[in-house]
Amino acid sequence: MKKTIRDFFNGLAFGITETVPGVSGGTIALILGFYFELIETINHFSENIKKRLKFLIPLVLGIAVGILLFSSLINFLLANYSFPTMLFFIGLIAGIIPHIYAKVKEQGRRLQFRDILLIVIPFVFLLALSFLRTGDSATSPEEMIHTIGFPYMIFILVAGIVAAAALVIPGISGSFVLLLLGVYPLAIYAVSLIRTLLTDITNIDLMLSICKVLIPLAIGIIIGGLSMARLIGKLLKNHSRTTYSIILGIMLGSLCVLFKNPIVYASGVSAWIIVAGVITFCLGCVLSFNIGKKRL
């Protein structure tokens, strides 16, 4: 029972994180210590279905609750206190980096040129990605959701596959990928409409509009998540040092990407806001470092 509750709250934290553009759910899974269990569960689900479901059901339930209940709070914090809010999440990522570096050096060898290259390449790649257009469209989500056709539903499915593949890798944010592809505002708007639908369950047009976005996105996330989890599982098993080097580069790159993300500065920056940001950054660092020390 204790583990079930913990799995639910792990999922809750994961779901909350996924509402924040640029913050990786995979990183949160690493910090909270359920990343490897998640990869193992996906890759070997059929070996002990009852055990796997005991882990997945409360986790998935927690993710759903986190997204549905806390998306409004996160949106409020980002709208009014974006700098200290985002710096808390940046601190969470920064605090886990020493533990990932320790994993790279776990075999007792000093960093070699190959290791440095594996760190630098994903770091530079993420920086390059951050300069791409973030998919903003002249058409608002409110207008777009009522005009979605089958071709765009296929595009949403593909976006879900790519985002889920990113989601499984610590340091890469699935929401950031959706932002790059221009799907993120539409997806968040569709999720927000679920509350409206619950007050008027007979609104078939609204239900169809939501389903046209969320069903292909969910299918894509399942396909991408399963595929990437299998790949990550094999890499961690057979090439752990290489995998951790790449993950370290991705996480370092994600820090830089987050700092230049306009969302960080959206609500304005003043002297006291900077002080608050430094405090929340330090809190995030200390929290993730201490949790990671116990669970990684």
Side-chain angles (χ1 to χ4, degrees):
M1 187 64 182
K2 185 178 178 181
K3 186 180 183 305
T4 300
I5 294 171
R6 188 179 72 212
D7 291 337
F8 173 81
F9 280 102
N10 283 342
L12 194 70
F14 189 96
I16 293 169
T17 302
E18 282 310 307
T19 65
V20 184
V23 181
S24 166
T27 303
I28 297 302
L30 264 180
I31 292 168
L32 296 176
F34 68 92
Y35 180 78
F36 300 106
E37 186 178 2
L38 179 60
I39 297 294
E40 179 74 12
T41 297
I42 294 171
N43 290 337
H44 303 284
F45 181 79
S46 60
E47 292 178 9
N48 191 335
I49 295 176
K50 187 177 178 181
K51 179 185 176 183
R52 306 305 184 193
L53 287 175
K54 279 185 177 179
F55 167 67
L56 281 178
I57 289 174
L59 184 75
V60 171
L61 184 61
I63 291 171
V65 171
I67 292 173
L68 290 173
L69 293 188
F70 288 88
S71 57
S72 297
L73 174 62
I74 293 296
N75 286 335
F76 170 79
L77 290 173
L78 289 176
N80 297 280
Y81 309 101
S82 61
F83 191 77
T85 301
M86 289 300 293
L87 256 69
F88 174 74
F89 287 106
I90 292 171
L92 287 177
I93 297 170
I96 203 70
I97 284 176
H99 299 303
I100 302 300
Y101 179 69
K103 287 284 185 182
V104 174
K105 297 188 67 179
E106 204 168 54
Q107 297 175 7
R109 291 187 300 155
R110 298 176 64 181
L111 283 185
Q112 299 177 346
F113 177 75
R114 177 176 173 275
D115 301 316
I116 294 171
L117 201 61
L118 288 170
I119 293 169
V120 169
I121 289 174
F123 175 83
V124 172
F125 176 72
L126 267 187
L127 278 184
L129 267 185
S130 71
F131 286 98
L132 294 177
R133 186 174 68 90
T134 56
D136 293 332
S137 170
T139 307
S140 69
E142 292 86 347
E143 296 171 325
M144 187 182 254
I145 200 166
H146 298 295
T147 58
I148 291 172
F150 185 73
Y152 198 77
M153 288 173 66
I154 297 297
F155 176 74
I156 293 173
L157 186 143
V158 173
I161 292 173
V162 177
L167 184 90
V168 176
I169 304 171
I172 299 183
S173 164
S175 55
F176 176 67
V177 172
L178 290 178
L179 201 62
L180 284 174
L181 296 174
V183 176
Y184 180 79
L186 183 63
I188 287 295
Y189 181 65
V191 171
S192 71
L193 286 179
I194 292 175
R195 289 185 179 180
T196 306
L197 180 63
L198 292 175
T199 62
D200 184 15
I201 201 68
T202 59
N203 192 334
I204 303 300
D205 288 337
L206 182 60
M207 184 184 298
L208 288 174
S209 296
I210 294 171
C211 289
K212 283 180 182 180
V213 177
L214 297 186
I215 288 179
L217 185 64
I219 293 171
I221 287 171
I222 291 169
I223 294 171
L226 290 175
S227 304
M228 186 54 68
R230 290 187 181 279
L231 177 60
I232 290 289
K234 290 179 180 178
L235 289 174
L236 285 170
K237 183 178 180 181
N238 302 311
H239 308 282
S240 62
R241 186 181 176 98
T242 297
T243 307
Y244 278 116
S245 296
I246 294 170
I247 288 173
L248 179 60
I250 290 170
M251 294 184 77
L252 289 170
S254 72
L255 284 180
C256 296
V257 169
L258 278 171
F259 269 116
K260 71 180 291 295
N261 192 329
I263 292 173
V264 176
Y265 313 98
S267 65
V269 177
S270 61
W272 81 267
I273 285 288
I274 292 173
V275 172
V278 171
I279 292 170
T280 55
F281 175 83
C282 292
L283 283 173
C285 280
V286 171
L287 184 64
S288 65
F289 182 81
N290 284 300
I291 295 175
K293 186 164 58 176
K294 296 175 183 177
R295 301 191 180 181
L296 267 178

